[in-house]
C-alpha cells in the first residue's frame, strides 16, 4: 500500500509538473533573456557595433551587414563591403549568435570575440586594420573613458574592442516568440496549422539538425545529402578551415530563430523565400518532396519562431578629435 | 535718501531680473523642442528614414549619410552612394534642418518634404525610383497598416512617404546646448574663454550670417568674399538653381548647431577641423586673420552649440514578403 501510494503520488506530481509538451520532450528549447555581467561593457560594445569609424571608409559598421532593424542581417544574397566589394557569402544573423557552436558559416571563429575582429580587417568587408581601428578609438576621450569604466583601464587594444562587441552581441537574444510561449505551456499560442507544421518539421527530419534553443547552430552538416547542391558560389564550407575532403560543403546549420526576418536563405542567399528554402531542404537534405500544403504548414510554423527583437536606444557616438585618423573612403 | 534707496533697489532688481545678455539682445536664439502633431506619422517616418529598402541596393538608407549616431551627417568630405559612387558634395546635417530657409546646399528643395524624395531617386545616392520605393512599401502589410494609422488611408504614394520622413525630421532638433542655457539666463553655463569666443564671433562679423536659432541656415552667401575660394569641387551653388551669374558660388549658410559633430566642413568637406574652418572663414569672408588665441576662443564657443541629441529606440522594420521586389545591389 505504501508503495502503491508512492507510485500514485509520483504519477500525480509527474502530471502536474509536466504539461503535454514540455520543452524537455521537444527537440527545441525556449530562448531565455540574457542578463549581462558588465553593463558598461555592453553599452560600449553597442557603440562600437554602430561605429563606422571601425572601417577604412568611415561608412561601414557591424550594423551595416548585421542590421538590428532587420533581423540582424542585411537581407541581401551576399553582402556589400569596402568600395562595394561583393562578398562571397550571405551574412548570417547576429541574433542569438551566442548560441552557435562556432561563428561564420564555416565555424572558423570559435566564439563571438574571435569573430568580431574578422570583418574589421577583411579587405572586402570593413577594409581596415586592427591597429588603425584602435588608433581611432584611442584618439577619442569619451571612448577612453568608457573603456576605463568597462575594463578598469583606458589602455585600448583590439582584445578589449572585440570583448566589448561580443558582450553586446550576447545580449541580442530574442525570447518570447509564439513558439516559445507554446513550449512554456500556453497552448493557445499556436494555431492548428502551425502545430501541424511543427509536427511535420519533426517527423520529416528537419529537427534532426535544426534543434536546441537556436533551432540550429549546434552542428556542421553537408549541404546536399540526397543530391548535390547546385550553386554558382565558390565557397566550400568547413573544408576551408580543416582542409579535409570530408568537410567539403559542410556548413554550420543556421539558426531558424527569426527566420521570417533573415531572408534570403542558405550560404549563397539563393533561396529568396521560406517556401523555396523548405522545398530545397526537403529535396536535398531529406530526399522528400513536400506537397504545397505541407510546405505551407512548415512555413507557418517557422514564422512562429520570430521572437522579441532587441530594444535599445540608438547610441550617440562621441565625435572624432583633431588627432583622429580620418577615413579614406575612396582609397 | 528715498531716491537713493530706490536706485539701489532698482540696481539690485536689475541684477536679479535682467541678466546682461537676454536672447532678445543676441543674434542667436535658443532652439526649442519640437512637439509633433501626428505621432504615428513621426514613427512611420523614423522607420522609413532607417529603411535601406528605399534604395536600389537595399543597403543605403537616409541614415547612411545622415547618421543620427554621428550628428546627422556621415563625417565624410563627400558622401558615398549607390555602387560606392563618390558624391559631389558634403552631406549637410539633418539635425535642426527644419529651421533652414530651404534644403540642400543650393536650396533647390523648398522644404524637408521636397528634399526627402531627392536622394531616393538620385542614381548616385540611393539609385532607386519613387515608383519602385512605393512598390516595396505597398507589398509589406505592416507598412500599409502604419500608413493607414498616420494618414487615414493605406494608399501609399511618394507624397505620403516624403510627408512622413519630413515629419520625423522635424523632430530632430537639438535643444539644451550649453550656449542655449546661457542664453536663457544660466550665467554659469559658459566659461570665460567661451564667452570671449562668442564676443569675437559677434564683433568680427561671423554672426552677420550665422545667426538665428540655427546659427545659420537663413540666407545664401557667396563662398569667397574677400578672396576666391580655391577648391577642386565643381559645384557652383545657387547658380545651378537660378542660372543667374550673381548666384555663382552662393551657398546656403550652414547651421553651426552641433558643429563639433559635423566635421569635415564646407560644401566640399575640405576643412577637416574647426580650427581650419574658422581660419578660412575669417580670411575669405571677413578679410581677417584670426590669431591662434582668437581662433581657439571662437572654437571653444562653437563647441558650446552642441545640443541634446535626438533620443529614440532603433526602429524594428517589418520584413519583406514574397511579393516585395528584391534589392539589386550589383546592377
Amino acid at each position: 500500500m505504501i508503495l502503491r501510494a508512492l507510485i500514485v503520488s509520483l504519477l500525480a506530481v509527474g502530471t502536474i509538473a509536466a504539461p503535454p509538451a514540455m520543452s524537455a520532450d521537444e527537440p527545441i528549447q525556449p530562448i531565455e533573456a540574457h542578463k549581462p555581467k558588465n553593463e558598461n561593457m555592453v553599452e560600449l560594445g553597442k557603440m562600437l557595433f554602430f561605429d563606422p569609424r571601425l572601417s577604412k571608409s568611415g561608412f561601414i559598421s557591424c550594423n551595416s551587414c548585421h542590421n538590428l532593424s532587420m533581423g540582424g542581417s542585411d537581407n541581401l544574397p551576399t553582402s556589400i563591403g569596402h568600395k562595394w566589394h561583393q562578398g562571397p557569402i550571405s551574412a548570417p544573423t547576429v541574433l542569438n549568435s551566442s548560441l552557435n557552436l562556432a561563428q561564420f558559416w564555416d565555424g572558423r571563429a570559435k566564439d563571438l570575440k574571435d569573430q568580431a575582429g574578422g570583418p574589421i580587417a577583411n579587405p572586402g568587408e570593413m577594409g581596415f586594420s586592427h591597429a588603425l581601428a584602435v588608433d581611432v578609438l584611442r584618439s577619442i576621450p569619451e571612448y577612453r573613458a568608457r573603456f576605463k569604466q568597462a575594463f578598469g583601464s583606458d589602455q585600448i587594444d583590439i582584445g578589449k574592442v572585440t570583448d566589448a562587441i561580443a558582450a553586446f552581441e550576447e545580449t541580442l537574444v530574442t525570447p518570447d516568440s509564439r513558439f516559445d510561449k507554446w513550449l512554456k505551456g500556453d497552448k493557445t499560442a499556436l494555431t492548428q496549422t502551425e502545430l501541424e507544421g511543427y509536427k511535420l518539421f519533426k517527423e520529416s527530419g528537419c529537427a534532426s539538425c535544426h534543434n536546441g534553443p537556436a533551432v540550429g547552430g549546434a552542428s556542421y552538416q553537408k549541404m546536399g545529402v540526397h543530391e548535390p547542391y547546385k550553386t554558382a558560389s565558390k565557397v566550400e564550407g568547413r573544408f576551408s578551415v580543416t582542409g579535409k575532403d570530408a568537410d567539403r560543403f559542410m556548413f554550420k546549420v543556421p539558426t531558424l530563430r527569426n527566420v521570417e526576418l533573415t531572408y534570403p536563405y542558405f550560404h549563397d542567399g539563393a533561396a529568396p523565400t521560406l517556401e523555396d528554402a523548405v522545398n530545397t531542404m526537403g529535396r536535398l537534405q531529406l530526399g522528400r518532396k513536400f506537397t504545397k500544403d505541407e510546405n505551407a504548414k512548415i512555413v507557418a510554423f517557422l514564422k512562429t519562431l520570430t521572437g522579441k527583437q532587441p530594444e535599445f536606444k540608438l547610441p550617440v557616438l562621441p565625435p572624432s578629435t583633431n588627432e583622429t585618423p580620418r577615413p579614406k573612403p575612396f582609397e
Side-chain angles (χ1 to χ4, degrees), chain A:
Chain A
M1 278 304 278
I2 291 171
L3 185 64
R4 196 176 156 199
L6 186 65
I7 288 170
V8 167
S9 67
L10 273 174
L11 282 170
V13 167
T15 311
I16 293 163
M22 273 302 282
S23 53
D25 305 330
E26 300 293 341
I28 301 172
Q29 290 80 47
I31 294 261
E32 302 299 339
H34 176 78
K35 285 220 190 310
K37 284 181 288 251
N38 184 334
E39 292 278 6
N40 288 327
M41 201 184 294
V42 168
E43 198 53 38
L44 171 60
K46 185 194 300 171
M47 292 168 73
L48 297 170
F49 190 88
F50 278 87
D51 201 326
R53 288 169 296 187
L54 297 185
S55 69
K56 182 176 183 180
S57 62
F59 190 66
I60 299 179
S61 71
C62 304
N63 194 64
S64 297
C65 298
H66 300 288
N67 192 331
L68 293 170
S69 295
M70 295 168 56
S73 175
D74 55 11
N75 296 144
L76 299 175
T78 61
S79 292
I80 295 168
H82 186 66
K83 295 179 93 170
W84 216 261
H85 176 82
Q86 181 168 6
I89 211 157
S90 191
T93 178
V94 67
L95 297 180
N96 306 302
S97 56
S98 58
L99 303 174
N100 290 334
L101 84 161
Q103 302 301 326
F104 296 115
W105 281 96
D106 58 12
R108 68 182 181 277
K110 68 177 185 302
D111 55 24
L112 288 173
K113 173 185 168 64
D114 192 14
Q115 190 279 335
I120 293 173
N122 186 325
E125 298 188 39
M126 295 164 86
F128 218 25
S129 76
H130 291 170
L132 288 167
V134 166
D135 282 351
V136 165
L137 298 172
R138 280 180 184 156
S139 72
I140 298 171
E142 188 184 323
Y143 267 127
R144 287 202 302 272
R146 285 181 177 268
F147 274 87
K148 174 121 191 171
Q149 277 185 321
F151 294 95
S153 156
D154 68 356
Q155 297 297 303
I156 303 176
D157 57 41
I158 192 67
K160 291 199 185 85
V161 171
T162 52
D163 270 334
I165 294 175
F168 171 59
E169 291 176 338
E170 282 168 11
T171 69
L172 302 176
V173 291
T174 61
D176 300 332
S177 67
R178 286 199 291 120
F179 185 72
D180 282 5
K181 287 180 183 161
W182 181 83
L183 277 179
K184 289 182 168 185
D186 176 0
K187 294 307 154 198
T188 66
L190 298 190
T191 66
Q192 192 55 36
T193 304
E194 290 160 352
L195 274 174
E196 286 170 24
Y198 177 45
K199 198 156 168 274
L200 268 166
F201 183 84
K202 289 193 287 188
E203 288 175 0
S204 56
C206 309
S208 60
C209 298
H210 290 287
N211 53 41
V215 201
S219 66
Y220 302 101
Q221 300 292 339
K222 183 164 179 183
M223 179 70 168
V225 173
H226 287 264
E227 42 181 292
Y229 180 59
K230 293 190 182 108
T231 174
S233 166
K234 303 232 181 306
V235 169
E236 295 194 294
R238 189 98 186 114
F239 170 75
S240 66
V241 179
T242 66
K244 291 181 191 166
D245 268 338
D247 284 337
R248 222 179 277 272
F249 308 119
M250 296 284 280
F251 291 92
K252 189 178 65 189
V253 176
T255 176
L256 296 184
R257 290 282 179 185
N258 309 293
V259 71
E260 182 183 10
L261 310 180
T262 60
Y263 54 89
Y265 305 105
F266 307 150
H267 66 277
D268 58 357
T273 68
L274 271 177
E275 286 78 1
D276 292 333
V278 167
N279 263 344
T280 302
M281 284 283 100
R283 194 163 45 78
L284 299 195
Q285 304 305 99
L286 304 169
R288 172 166 180 165
K289 185 157 171 26
F290 291 119
T291 65
K292 204 172 168 188
D293 181 61
E294 289 172 330
N295 184 301
K297 284 175 178 169
I298 295 174
V299 168
F301 156 64
L302 292 174
K303 290 184 178 178
T304 71
L305 294 169
T306 305
K308 189 173 176 306
Q309 299 298 293
E311 203 174 73
F312 56 84
K313 280 186 197 147
L314 183 76
V316 172
L317 303 175
S320 294
T321 63
N322 291 0
E323 286 68 47
T324 308
R326 288 328 198 218
K328 296 179 174 168
F330 301 105
E331 289 180 21

